[in-house]
Amino acid sequence: MAHARRPPLVHPEAADLNLYAVLHALADPTRLTIVRTLREDLERACGTFPVSVAPSTLTHHFRVLREAGVIHQREDGNRRWTTLRYDDLENRFPAVVDTVLRAAPA
């Protein structure tokens, strides 16, 4: 039996990033942990983040971050790799990511 393909990943263009969507995505402690981790590591496989949530919940957090334009994900075989769209965010909303990370408890 053939495996069903995953639906294509949606990533907004840098010019379409919305500050309210970005701030909403950064307002959750689990998503902040993901972003903080990606600020230190350039790219990580999805199952390697230091969070303790169910896989389905982690998938939801990645979707919120991806659709807000905070992260980029790519498929590589059966793994999904995640990067922070830091340059896009910095160009569109200077210092927002670092300001939120500094203000949030570690």
Side-chain angles (χ1 to χ4, degrees):
M1 182 185 293
H3 292 283
R5 292 186 61 101
R6 293 182 188 182
L9 298 171
V10 175
H11 298 93
E13 296 293 326
D16 295 333
L17 297 181
N18 177 288
L19 180 60
Y20 297 114
V22 170
L23 291 175
H24 168 75
L26 296 176
D28 180 89
T30 299
R31 293 193 290 265
L32 272 176
T33 298
I34 292 168
V35 171
R36 184 174 279 116
T37 302
L38 289 172
R39 194 68 182 99
E40 295 172 10
D41 298 336
L42 295 179
E43 185 175 51
R44 284 185 82 118
C46 288
T48 65
F49 287 85
V51 295
S52 55
V53 297
S56 60
T57 303
L58 186 57
T59 297
H60 164 75
H61 288 304
F62 284 132
R63 183 178 52 79
V64 170
L65 289 166
R66 188 179 62 249
E67 290 178 356
V70 176
I71 63 171
H72 181 270
Q73 292 184 302
R74 67 178 178 85
E75 304 278 352
D76 183 23
N78 63 351
R79 298 210 82 170
R80 188 173 280 179
W81 293 86
T82 305
T83 56
L84 180 64
R85 291 179 62 180
Y86 185 79
D87 290 342
D88 289 341
L89 292 163
E90 189 65 17
N91 288 332
R92 186 91 165 99
F93 312 114
V96 165
V97 172
D98 290 330
T99 299
V100 169
L101 290 176
R102 273 194 309 275

